[in-house]
Amino acid sequence: MNLHNVSWVRQEMVLPSARPAGQGGPREWMRKNLFDGWLSTLLTVASVTAIAWLIVAIAPWLGNSIWKANSLAECRQLLDGAPGACWGVIRDRWPQLLFGFYPADLYWRPVLAFALLLAALAPVLFRALPSRTLWFSAVYPGLAGWLIWGGSLWFPVAVYLGFAVAAGLFASTARASQGLGLSVAGLGAALWWVYAAQPFSSAANAVIPIVLEAVPSREIGGFLLSIIIGVTGIATSLPLGILLALGRRSGLPLIYMLSVVFIEFIRGVPLITLLFTASLLLNYFLPPGTNFDLILRVVIMVTLFASAYMAEVIRGGLAGLPCGQYEAAEALGLDYWKAQRLIILPQALKISIPGIVNTFIGLFKDTTLVMFIGLLDPIALAAAIRANTEWQGIYWELFIFIGAVFFIFCFGMSRYSMYLERRLKTDHR
Amino acid sequence: MSKTLRGLSPENRRGLSETAVEITSMNKWYGDFHALRDINLTVRRGERIVICGPSGSGKSTMIRCINRLEEHQSGKIVVDGIELTSDLKKIEEVRREVGMVFQHFNLFPHLTILENCTLAPIWVRKVPERQAKEIAMHFLEKVRIPDQAHKYPGQLSGGQQQRVAIARSLCMKPRIMLFDEPTSALDPEMIKEVLDTMIALADEGMTMLCVTHEMGFAQAVADRVIFMDQGQIVEQNEPRAFFSAPRSERTRTFLGQILGH
């Protein structure tokens, strides 16, 4: 028999009240996080000691930095036996590290291209800017190419006209069938680029010459080269990766097979192999006498390499979406491309941001591999500088500087991706 | 309410038969599993149909065949005068006219409530943005959540999300609405608000096919109740007769189980 009386009713509801004081504060935080038991205390002391030791070891070397010296010998003389960093090498070779062997009187052109790059990137990266400015982002690649390589302005214009040709052909044939429209547009643009672009730009140039002094690719180097390869690779590998990821999930056997073979082949081959292919082997396959720019070849290889990784990262994001999203989009009558563009990809890309940025950062750092095929990226220049009698024997300063510049770019990408994730966070979990 | 917002404007009505959906000898297999067997069903325009049956009986699969979320292997499905084949144009045409509400709402989490509702009208029906917003707000008012329009789906309760999902479908001004267990994922407190919305819709003459176990709803609004088991239609009748005098043994057992306690 139950002796309790289970019947009970609350007479008043309890109102929310403030949390008791005395929790938190720096003392409490330190006790909880730094000195919580003997093991934690031991680890804290050991870590602090290690950091202190590192600082004590490096500080005098950094503190005695020499900025004004024209050779390592001069540096050593100034230091007089004391430990010290000789940053004079950075100061002495600054233009070379930035531009390679780009003609000194034309430095304004890559500098202007870099400044315009920031203006072109801003509307893509930050939505606050009006979408009209995106037009400049679209024009920028041609403009930057012209500024850096010089030559006739009509050449990039002719290349852009290829897109206009494609758009025109697509608009006039897509009514019959979208697939037909795409093929005709692609073929038309390709024919334009191969046969008409060069005569067009020569003819236009004959009428209205707008020419910058041409700079050959072998003179372009340093961080300018890294940024050219990195930015072009990043900008083109993302859309290519998206197409490959969609292809790998496609129900059409031919597209599926092509995507799988491409991704698996590119992922299975080291980048350095692809770069050697670009620099040496392609010459055997191309018709003799074709002058296919080495930097362009390298950019293509780096892009293909990154896009294979990108495709797999994005495929992960696509697989992470519940199938209800596909069904809802279909049930509303959206066709495949609209469903992908408006519903699926915005969500899949959001999930994939960490992986995408990972690939971007990897691509940017991999640009240093081009030194092995004779392009003068910062690492190759460092080697060249160290081979010079003035700076023979210098080591840490050059590589610390190069590392720091790469770090700034990569850290910037990482911070931007975190900002983007916060901005796109709408799930309120 | 104006006729145009109901999606049954005179020009839309012209040339339409009185039959909304006609399914003849339809069969569907998943691999070797015969999921739907010899389905024959004719839905008149404006008819409200409730489909019930044990889980795995094929009721969801059947209504998902109507907007081709599932493909059937034999037989014929004609929706709004359009036969469903593998022709993508026809499928998209049918989907524009058939709205669907899912068990798990399937709202687009990256878009606001308002954007969820305007997306399909803008991109599929090519309605100008301002007008699409007006239509969306009209239907959000009808499901009684206009004040949530600028929130994201994740900020709403389950019942509110499902009402948004109904509004989203209505914004396309469909002629037929499919409901796939719309209240099964909801807390008991929220079921009523969704059912009330559906009852209001039924009162306006919408053609509805609802897979649901809410027998109260069936008795209140259905013109016909269909009982399915093992991939086939076992029994159908108008609700009063269906509940008071089920003819098949299988139906009696099922009703005993869901109404028994």
Side-chain angles (χ1 to χ4, degrees):
Chain A
M1 191 182 148
N2 192 350
L3 294 174
H4 289 301
N5 182 7
V6 294
S7 164
W8 182 82
V9 65
R10 181 177 285 285
Q11 301 299 329
E12 274 173 57
M13 300 302 272
V14 179
L15 294 171
S17 56
R19 175 193 169 121
Q23 295 183 3
R27 270 184 82 108
E28 177 75 11
W29 182 88
M30 276 170 68
R31 200 196 58 71
K32 250 187 190 162
N33 294 292
L34 299 178
F35 304 107
D36 188 22
W38 66 269
L39 182 64
S40 157
T41 310
L42 191 71
L43 286 172
T44 304
V45 171
S47 313
V48 169
T49 317
I51 294 168
W53 179 80
L54 256 176
I55 292 174
V56 168
I58 298 173
W61 186 75
L62 274 178
N64 275 344
S65 292
I66 304 285
W67 285 94
K68 286 182 183 167
N70 292 320
S71 71
L72 190 59
E74 194 185 337
C75 242
R76 292 214 170 116
Q77 203 181 357
L78 284 168
L79 282 166
D80 199 19
C86 185
W87 301 108
V89 65
I90 310 297
R91 194 191 168 91
D92 186 36
R93 297 305 180 102
W94 174 255
Q96 205 177 36
L97 282 168
L98 289 193
F99 303 109
F101 294 100
Y102 206 87
D105 54 329
L106 300 178
Y107 282 164
W108 65 272
R109 278 161 43 182
V111 169
L112 180 60
F114 185 73
L116 292 177
L117 171 70
L118 301 180
L121 277 181
V124 179
L125 299 184
F126 304 102
R127 211 183 286 170
L129 290 142
S131 54
R132 257 176 297 124
T133 47
L134 280 170
W135 276 107
F136 178 68
S137 311
V139 173
Y140 176 76
L143 185 61
W146 180 58
L147 279 174
I148 290 169
W149 276 276
S152 164
L153 176 64
W154 293 105
F155 183 68
V157 169
V159 172
Y160 273 86
L161 277 175
F163 291 110
V165 167
L169 285 173
F170 182 74
S172 54
T173 52
R175 199 161 298 172
S177 140
Q178 281 204 336
L180 176 78
L182 275 180
S183 333
V184 170
L187 191 68
L191 287 175
W192 170 272
W193 283 322
V194 173
Y195 293 109
Q198 198 68 51
F200 170 84
S201 66
S202 315
N205 204 49
V207 182
I208 313 165
I210 309 175
V211 181
L212 282 177
E213 187 185 327
V215 178
S217 279
R218 62 174 183 280
E219 290 181 359
I220 293 170
F223 284 107
L224 172 62
L225 179 66
S226 299
I227 292 173
I228 291 174
I229 301 175
V231 170
T232 324
I234 283 171
T236 38
S237 67
L238 183 62
L240 208 56
I242 291 174
L243 289 179
L244 283 169
L246 292 178
R248 196 163 185 172
R249 290 171 65 87
S250 164
L252 306 170
L254 193 67
I255 290 178
Y256 167 79
M257 282 299 296
L258 280 174
S259 309
V260 171
V261 168
F262 179 87
I263 290 170
E264 296 303 336
F265 173 73
I266 298 278
R267 279 203 308 170
V269 176
L271 176 58
I272 196 76
T273 322
L274 293 175
L275 291 178
F276 276 122
T277 312
S279 79
L280 302 170
L281 290 178
L282 272 185
N283 278 346
Y284 295 109
F285 294 121
L286 291 170
T290 28
N291 180 21
F292 196 12
D293 189 88
L294 182 59
I295 292 182
L296 184 60
R297 281 185 270 166
V298 165
V299 163
I300 290 172
M301 283 304 182
V302 168
T303 303
L304 294 183
F305 187 75
S307 65
Y309 283 88
M310 194 67 73
E312 289 299 278
V313 167
I314 292 167
R315 191 167 68 98
L318 289 170
L321 283 193
C323 61
Q325 292 292 309
Y326 292 88
E327 287 177 357
E330 283 183 1
L332 284 170
L334 294 164
D335 63 30
Y336 176 81
W337 289 109
K338 279 180 193 149
Q340 294 297 338
R341 185 155 67 89
L342 301 166
I343 309 297
I344 306 303
L345 284 174
Q347 297 184 61
L349 291 179
K350 187 173 82 178
I351 305 174
S352 322
I353 287 173
I356 292 174
V357 173
N358 214 8
T359 314
F360 282 169
I361 289 176
L363 182 155
F364 189 56
K365 291 189 298 180
D366 280 351
T367 57
T368 51
L369 286 175
V370 299
M371 73 170 284
F372 289 109
I373 55 166
L375 286 176
L376 293 171
D377 84 306
I379 305 282
L381 284 169
I385 292 167
R386 290 174 59 225
N388 191 294
T389 45
E390 283 160 15
W391 295 107
Q392 206 167 22
I394 200 143
Y395 192 78
W396 287 101
E397 292 83 347
L398 270 174
F399 287 115
I400 287 176
F401 170 73
I402 294 167
V405 173
F406 271 101
F407 177 80
I408 288 168
F409 279 101
C410 296
F411 188 66
M413 284 190 252
S414 157
R415 296 308 296 189
Y416 173 75
S417 83
M418 286 164 78
Y419 152 81
L420 197 62
E421 280 183 76
R422 268 199 311 280
R423 191 182 82 186
L424 298 178
K425 188 169 160 47
T426 56
D427 52 0
H428 305 281
R429 264 186 288 203
Chain B
M1 191 181 62
S2 80
K3 278 247 167 108
T4 43
L5 283 173
R6 286 262 299 274
L8 288 170
S9 58
E11 53 268 74
N12 280 354
R13 226 195 271 258
R14 202 187 309 141
L16 286 177
S17 65
E18 282 305 295
T19 310
V21 181
E22 180 147 38
I23 304 177
T24 345
S25 321
M26 188 259 279
N27 285 277
K28 170 164 183 63
W29 287 264
Y30 285 117
D32 288 332
F33 175 66
H34 199 170
L36 290 176
R37 309 176 196 172
D38 188 37
I39 302 287
N40 287 284
L41 175 68
T42 305
V43 183
R44 280 177 288 110
R45 198 159 294 286
E47 201 174 9
R48 279 96 56 168
I49 292 180
V50 163
I51 302 154
C52 59
S55 77
S57 60
K59 26 187 216 310
S60 288
T61 311
M62 184 178 81
I63 68 163
R64 285 158 62 90
C65 282
I66 295 175
N67 63 354
R68 193 84 171 184
L69 287 184
E70 304 283 353
E71 192 182 331
H72 62 282
Q73 275 84 41
S74 78
K76 195 172 160 185
I77 303 178
V78 180
V79 182
D80 220 31
I82 304 160
E83 186 181 349
L84 281 171
T85 58
S86 54
D87 182 351
L88 273 176
K89 285 241 158 59
K90 289 271 164 64
I91 294 172
E92 275 159 22
E93 208 176 318
V94 164
R95 284 174 178 164
R96 282 200 290 273
E97 307 304 331
V98 179
M100 185 159 205
V101 176
F102 299 87
Q103 181 178 2
H104 296 289
F105 332 134
N106 296 353
L107 292 178
F108 305 131
H110 63 302
L111 301 175
T112 63
I113 299 307
L114 188 63
E115 287 165 341
N116 263 277
C117 293
T118 55
L119 182 120
I122 290 174
W123 291 94
V124 180
R125 287 238 191 262
K126 315 280 183 208
V127 175
E129 191 176 328
R130 220 170 61 87
Q131 198 187 336
K133 277 186 182 160
E134 280 169 20
I135 298 170
M137 286 313 292
H138 167 83
F139 283 111
L140 286 175
E141 269 160 36
K142 227 168 79 162
V143 300
R144 302 187 315 282
I145 27 183
D147 43 331
Q148 317 278 358
H150 295 286
K151 289 191 181 169
Y152 286 93
Q155 293 166 293
L156 268 56
S157 73
Q160 289 173 323
Q161 288 193 48
Q162 192 60 299
R163 283 185 283 150
V164 170
I166 295 174
R168 177 177 72 177
S169 285
L170 293 177
C171 285
M172 283 293 282
K173 296 174 179 172
R175 296 206 186 92
I176 300 163
M177 284 288 286
L178 307 174
F179 292 85
D180 189 1
E181 307 209 27
T183 55
S184 304
L186 296 176
D187 290 338
E189 282 177 316
M190 295 168 182
I191 291 179
K192 188 176 177 300
E193 63 187 55
V194 170
L195 288 181
D196 285 348
T197 310
M198 290 167 63
I199 290 170
L201 193 60
D203 288 344
E204 286 169 15
M206 175 65 80
T207 312
M208 292 164 72
L209 283 93
C210 315
V211 172
T212 181
H213 291 134
E214 297 298 329
M215 290 305 140
F217 172 77
Q219 273 161 327
V221 304
D223 297 310
R224 189 175 2 158
V225 182
I226 290 177
F227 174 69
M228 286 184 74
D229 192 22
Q230 293 171 29
Q232 45 218 306
I233 295 176
V234 173
E235 181 166 354
Q236 49 173 318
N237 211 333
E238 51 98 15
R240 191 195 296 264
F242 180 86
F243 289 110
S244 61
R247 285 183 292 175
S248 138
E249 181 53 41
R250 192 65 198 84
T251 315
R252 273 196 289 278
T253 320
F254 177 74
L255 287 178
Q257 272 160 355
I258 64 163
L259 302 173
H261 50 255

